[in-house]
Amino acid sequence: MESIESFLKELGPVYAALLATVFTWFVTASGAAMVFFFKDLNRAWQDIMLGFTGGVMLAASFWSLLNPAIEYSAELYPNMVWMPAAVGFLAGSLFIFGLDKLAPHLHINFSESEQEGVKAHWHRTTLLVLAITIHNIPEGLAVGVLFGAAAHGVEHVSITSAIVLAFGIGLQNFPEGFAVAMPLRRMGVSRLKSFWYGQLSAVVEPVAGVLGAVAVAYIRPALPFALAFAAGAMIYVVVEEVIPETQRDKYTDLAVLGLIAGFVVMMVLDVALG
């Protein structure tokens, strides 16, 4: 871990964020590649994996993002410690809310009649990929913002904690890639195209990661706002997208257990290593 930390520190926050989010994309692509080896994905396992994804995102939102934002605000804004976290959290939530209302998309377990955003007569595959792309924006942003914060020497944020977050996001990206590619395969899409669209949904993560790192690496007062922004965006995705997708079949309890498992895994990683 020390050698990795030293290497990323030498790279600088922007290149470190790029490398970390390329890793999270690669893990998504690896999960999507499972479509070459399996014909189908049991619905129970799909819901468990989506639940696990939600749990990781929830835990990361607090321990990796919101808590450091509040603690750092005490240094920059001692008379209004609550303000940056509250404003950033609301802004992040509203940002994804806006994307959700504008971008045509369709969640994994939803029928075509339940398309969200501006109505468009696009192929179901395109709408599914757009839904996961929106989902992945806050994940990449969170990693980039944390590397930018680490570059500022924020007391409660380090390169190690940024690495842990990237690892946690990558951990939940593997089943997510599988969960995206397999429904496409069930719809009759070829294995190669199912893999292609599955990995394509995570290409936005390196873009969002670099933008997040650039935004905060050189603007110190914006750090707590940016950390809370990423947290708000992730929480919105979990509540609006991930949880509803796991509650549409008879495996709702298993999905909840998956969410709890993901939350505990990310919490342990962050507390023990971050």
Side-chain angles (χ1 to χ4, degrees):
M1 178 66 79
E2 288 183 6
S3 59
I4 297 175
E5 183 177 349
S6 299
F7 173 68
L8 291 177
K9 191 176 292 185
E10 291 176 6
L11 278 181
V14 175
Y15 286 111
L18 175 61
L19 187 60
T21 47
V22 166
F23 163 75
T24 61
W25 161 81
F26 176 77
V27 179
T28 304
S30 300
M34 293 298 102
V35 77
F36 292 111
F37 306 102
F38 297 93
K39 293 182 178 180
D40 201 358
L41 176 63
N42 181 278
R43 179 56 186 269
W45 280 109
Q46 179 179 319
D47 287 345
I48 290 170
M49 289 191 296
L50 285 172
F52 184 88
T53 292
V56 168
M57 293 175 73
L58 283 175
S61 296
F62 178 73
W63 272 280
S64 297
L65 300 167
L66 200 55
N67 192 46
I70 294 170
E71 292 175 338
Y72 193 45
S73 296
E75 177 185 334
L76 293 181
Y77 306 94
N79 296 322
M80 292 188 295
V81 175
W82 54 270
M83 186 270 292
V87 171
F89 191 88
L90 286 171
S93 301
L94 291 174
F95 172 71
I96 299 299
F97 172 80
L99 284 181
D100 194 61
K101 295 302 179 186
L102 293 174
H105 63 283
L106 181 67
H107 298 312
I108 292 174
N109 294 321
F110 286 44
S111 64
E112 290 191 45
S113 63
E114 296 175 285
Q115 176 186 330
E116 298 182 7
V118 176
K119 295 300 178 184
H121 300 291
W122 295 350
H123 195 279
R124 180 181 173 88
T125 301
T126 303
L127 294 171
L128 285 169
V129 172
L130 279 173
I132 302 300
T133 300
I134 294 172
H135 173 142
N136 284 329
I137 289 173
E139 295 179 3
L141 188 64
V143 173
V145 166
L146 211 61
F147 272 103
H152 271 298
V154 177
E155 182 180 354
H156 301 283
V157 179
S158 65
I159 292 292
T160 301
S161 62
I163 293 171
V164 169
L165 176 62
F167 179 77
I169 295 295
L171 187 66
Q172 58 95 26
N173 273 4
F174 185 88
E176 183 180 277
F178 195 14
V180 174
M182 196 54 70
L184 297 178
R185 179 61 182 155
R186 282 203 303 268
M187 288 163 46
V189 179
S190 70
R191 292 181 188 275
L192 183 58
K193 283 188 175 181
S194 296
F195 162 74
W196 173 255
Y197 288 122
Q199 64 81 31
L200 189 64
S201 66
V203 168
V204 71
E205 289 192 9
V207 177
V210 168
L211 289 176
V214 169
V216 302
Y218 306 106
I219 312 173
R220 189 168 180 261
L223 266 174
F225 293 95
L227 289 165
F229 182 98
M234 288 178 70
I235 293 292
Y236 187 94
V237 165
V238 172
V239 176
E240 194 277 334
E241 177 185 339
V242 177
I243 292 176
E245 287 177 6
T246 67
Q247 301 298 302
R248 298 174 66 86
D249 209 320
K250 58 185 178 181
Y251 305 108
T252 56
D253 290 344
L254 292 177
V256 173
L257 292 175
L259 186 145
I260 291 171
F263 187 94
V264 170
V265 168
M266 188 63 211
M267 176 181 66
V268 169
L269 284 173
D270 209 299
V271 174
L273 301 176

